[in-house]
């Protein structure tokens, strides 16, 4: 493995792990706050136990997210020093603000974890809300920095120099809003379905049914609302990408030839050598409509992009198809949940219904990983779109492959530790609300 590939692989590995930890860390505090609110309002002890159980999960993911995020920050400087030399002064503001949000989150989490029976109950609840808001803000600020890499702004590039730097314009670049909305909804959907699925599994096992039913309904609510809104966000993002990064859109859709009334490609295997997509279903005019709101509008193909500036096609296309497919599955499951909650409440206790949520446990996070693959691979060969190539930004330091192997071992170990801690936490859920005789899951 050459050093350039090793550096890219190490960043991909680090980001792939961190994004899961950060998504859960962003979203779980809101579940915790809703459960806490229900306990304060209703006085039901099962909500109190649920809040305490979820708060321990929040602490675990806060710690792992902090560690993996810190590693990513160092890797930007160590693996891509030329990029950071020029880009650091321009897009440093969202990173500095993210640090502020992180400190607020840490302080609020400490207040919440150790504030039981010490603070006013509603102030204690408020500290949990602050954990969620600051965590979400932290995620949005990091996404703003990534959006800047896709849509560089806030400077003038003259004779190889970066002049007239405007950090605010850099942070609020043309891509930040669409990416922030899309990523936030993805985090809520992924975490919601994963948490709901875990609690659905515990209901199927007839353990602590009252406790897990409360947990399932809170998580499912957030998941299903986010999953229904996500296609609207996706449409917003697609139109934005079509305008700013036509090469990325062409790679996502395996759109090799510029044409009017461009067809939307479903599935298929791109053949870059022959400039075609095999085994695909094509819907005439639909890509033009999705990209430009007009069935006849011309859509730029890869044939209009200089060969040296074209991104890979196979990886972004397959990742995009996977993301969309899983998104449609989660949206369909959300529609079923809304129908069950409105007209078929008995379905909420049926085994087949709960098994659908169990099956959806990994769906959201696989979709998140696929979406980030599209974002990052589709931007290639640029690290700073249209300004700096990834190959020009990599460190000249040799031996990066060994660093990649070391970090792979570290992240795998960290993941195993997190899984063990979460498994132990789930096993420690109190048996106070187990009512198997009265609350069996209907077959």
């Amino acid at each position: 493995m050459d050093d350039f590939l090793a550096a890219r692989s190490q960043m991909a590995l680090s980001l792939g792990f961190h994004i899961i930890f950060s998504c859960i860390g962003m979203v779980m505090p809101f579940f915790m706050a809703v459960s806490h609110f229900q306990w304060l309002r209703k006085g039901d002890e099962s909500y109190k136990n649920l809040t305490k159980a979820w708060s321990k999960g929040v602490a675990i993911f806060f710690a792992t997210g902090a560690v993996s995020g810190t590693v990513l920050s160092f890797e930007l400087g160590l693996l891509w020093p030329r990029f950071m030399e020029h880009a650091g002064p321009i897009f440093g503001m969202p990173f500095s603000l993210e640090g502020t949000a992180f400190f607020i989150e840490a302080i609020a989490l400490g207040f919440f974890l150790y504030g039981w029976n010490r603070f006013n109950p509603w102030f204690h609840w408020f500290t949990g809300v602050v954990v969620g808001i600051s965590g979400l803000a932290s995620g949005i600020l990091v996404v703003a920095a990534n959006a800047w890499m896709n849509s560089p702004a806030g400077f003038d590039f003259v004779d190889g120099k970066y002049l007239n730097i405007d950090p605010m314009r850099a942070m609020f670049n043309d891509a930040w809003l669409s990416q922030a909305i899309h990523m936030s909804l993805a985090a809520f959907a992924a975490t919601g379905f994963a948490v709901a699925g875990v609690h659905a599994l515990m209901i199927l096992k007839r353990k602590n049914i009252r406790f897990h039913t409360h947990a399932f309904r809170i998580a499912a609510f957030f998941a299903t609302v986010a999953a229904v809104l996500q296609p609207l966000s996706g449409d917003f993002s697609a139109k934005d990408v079509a305008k700013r990064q036509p090469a990325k859109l062409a790679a996502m859709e395996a759109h090799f030839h510029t044409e009017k009334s461009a067809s939307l490609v479903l599935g298929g295997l791109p053949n870059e050598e022959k400039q075609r997509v095999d085994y695909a279903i094509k819907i005439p005019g639909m890509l033009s409509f999705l990209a430009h709101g007009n069935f006849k509008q011309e859509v730029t193909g890869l044939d209009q992009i200089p060969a040296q500036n074209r991104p890979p096609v196979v990886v972004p296309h397959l990742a995009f198809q996977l993301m969309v497919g899983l998104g449609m599955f989660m949206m369909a499951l959300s529609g079923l949940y809304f129908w069950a909650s409105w007209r078929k409440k008995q379905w909420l206790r049926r085994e087949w219904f709960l098994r659908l949520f169990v099956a959806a446990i990994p769906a959201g996070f696989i979709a998140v990983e696929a979406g980030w693959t599209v974002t990052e691979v589709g931007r290639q060969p640029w690290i700073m779109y249209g300004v700096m190539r990834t190959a020009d930004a990599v460190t000249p330091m040799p031996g990066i492959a060994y660093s990649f192997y070391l970090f792979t071992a570290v992240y795998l170990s960290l993941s195993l530790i997190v899984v063990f801690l979460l498994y132990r936490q789930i096993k420690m859920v109190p048996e106070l609300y187990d009512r198997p005789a009265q609350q069996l899951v209907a077959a």
Side-chain angles (χ1 to χ4, degrees):
M1 180 183 293
D2 63 60
D3 288 335
F4 178 54
L5 179 59
R8 290 188 63 193
S9 299
Q10 184 170 324
M11 283 298 296
L13 175 78
S14 301
L15 182 60
F17 276 95
H18 176 67
I19 199 169
I20 294 177
F21 300 146
S22 60
C23 282
I24 298 174
M26 285 165 57
V27 172
M28 281 295 295
F30 290 99
F31 298 179
M32 179 182 76
V34 170
S35 176
H36 195 179
F37 178 81
Q38 292 289 72
W39 172 60
L40 292 175
R41 189 170 69 91
K42 297 180 178 180
D44 187 335
E45 286 291 317
S46 62
Y47 283 114
K48 181 180 180 180
N49 287 337
L50 176 58
T51 303
K52 288 187 173 183
W54 273 347
S55 69
K56 293 176 182 177
V58 168
I60 291 170
F61 281 104
F62 176 82
T64 51
V67 171
S68 58
T70 302
V71 170
L72 270 171
S73 299
F74 282 115
E75 284 178 338
L76 280 172
L78 293 173
L79 300 178
W80 314 102
R82 186 160 179 264
F83 167 69
M84 290 303 295
E85 175 188 355
H86 298 291
I90 305 172
F91 81 147
M93 180 170 285
F95 280 126
S96 62
L97 293 176
E98 190 273 337
T100 302
F102 172 79
F103 285 129
I104 293 173
E105 183 182 7
I107 293 168
L109 182 59
F111 279 176
F112 187 83
L113 292 176
Y114 297 102
W116 291 99
N117 303 319
R118 291 181 175 88
F119 295 140
N120 174 280
W122 286 105
F123 175 77
H124 185 219
W125 169 81
F126 176 72
T127 63
V129 174
V130 172
V131 173
I133 293 173
S134 55
L136 183 61
S138 180
I140 290 174
L141 288 165
V142 171
V143 169
N146 180 268
W148 179 85
M149 297 167 70
N150 285 294
S151 182
F155 65 94
D156 294 324
F157 188 59
V158 182
D159 297 328
K161 297 180 179 179
Y162 299 81
L163 307 174
N164 302 322
I165 294 173
D166 184 349
M168 291 299 293
R169 186 162 167 260
M171 183 167 68
F172 296 110
N173 56 79
D174 291 341
W176 87 270
L177 181 61
S178 62
Q179 281 196 211
I181 293 173
H182 199 61
M183 184 62 225
S184 298
L185 288 174
F188 274 96
T191 305
F193 276 110
V195 174
V198 169
H199 289 288
L201 180 62
M202 300 307 290
I203 295 171
L204 288 168
K205 291 184 176 182
R206 297 168 171 81
K207 293 183 177 180
N208 309 312
I209 292 179
R210 181 181 178 83
F211 175 95
H212 290 294
T213 297
H214 288 326
F216 170 79
R217 290 181 178 174
I218 292 172
F221 171 79
F222 280 98
T224 52
V225 170
V228 169
L229 294 175
Q230 190 67 300
L232 300 176
S233 166
D235 180 67
F236 178 37
S237 296
K239 286 180 169 57
D240 179 61
V241 169
K243 180 174 65 175
R244 292 183 303 94
Q245 295 177 293
K248 178 185 285 189
L249 179 73
M252 288 160 50
E253 297 290 350
H255 185 60
F256 290 103
H257 305 289
T258 301
E259 60 182 350
K260 295 182 179 180
S261 298
S263 299
L264 179 68
V265 175
L266 300 179
L269 185 63
N271 187 325
E272 295 188 57
E273 182 179 346
K274 296 182 178 179
Q275 302 281 289
R276 72 185 190 199
V277 185
D278 298 321
Y279 319 114
I281 299 171
K282 296 186 177 182
I283 305 176
M286 186 56 70
L287 180 58
S288 293
F289 176 75
L290 292 176
H292 301 292
N294 187 319
F295 286 100
K296 304 253 182 220
Q297 184 79 24
E298 181 177 272
V299 178
T300 302
L302 288 168
D303 58 350
Q304 295 295 310
I305 309 298
Q308 69 273 19
N309 294 339
R310 293 177 189 171
V313 178
V314 175
V315 171
H317 177 71
L318 295 181
F320 182 68
Q321 297 291 310
L322 178 61
M323 179 187 70
V324 171
L326 290 171
M328 296 303 292
F329 164 67
M330 289 185 286
M331 187 174 70
L333 184 52
S334 300
L336 187 65
Y337 179 81
F338 292 143
W339 177 254
S341 299
W342 182 38
R343 300 299 296 268
K344 298 286 185 179
K345 293 188 183 296
Q346 68 273 19
W347 287 4
L348 298 174
R349 299 185 297 275
R350 296 291 170 84
E351 182 175 341
W352 64 268
F353 184 84
L354 294 171
R355 288 193 182 281
L356 286 175
F357 275 87
V358 174
I361 289 175
F365 288 115
I366 295 174
V368 167
E369 297 285 9
W372 273 99
T373 299
V374 173
T375 298
E376 299 303 298
V377 179
R379 188 179 65 240
Q380 300 307 311
W382 307 100
I383 190 170
M384 192 192 312
Y385 190 73
V387 179
M388 181 184 291
R389 293 178 180 273
T390 309
D392 295 332
V394 71
T395 177
M397 182 179 67
I400 299 300
Y402 299 106
S403 173
F404 168 63
Y405 300 142
L406 175 63
F407 273 82
T408 300
V410 169
Y411 274 110
L412 287 175
S413 301
L414 183 61
S415 298
L416 291 175
I417 292 170
V418 170
V419 170
F420 168 74
L421 290 174
L422 291 176
Y423 175 77
R424 195 176 80 162
Q425 188 60 39
I426 293 172
K427 295 287 286 185
M428 289 173 62
V429 169
E431 301 291 327
L432 295 175
Y433 298 96
D434 195 9
R435 299 289 187 271
Q438 294 90 349
Q439 302 181 44
L440 289 177
V441 178

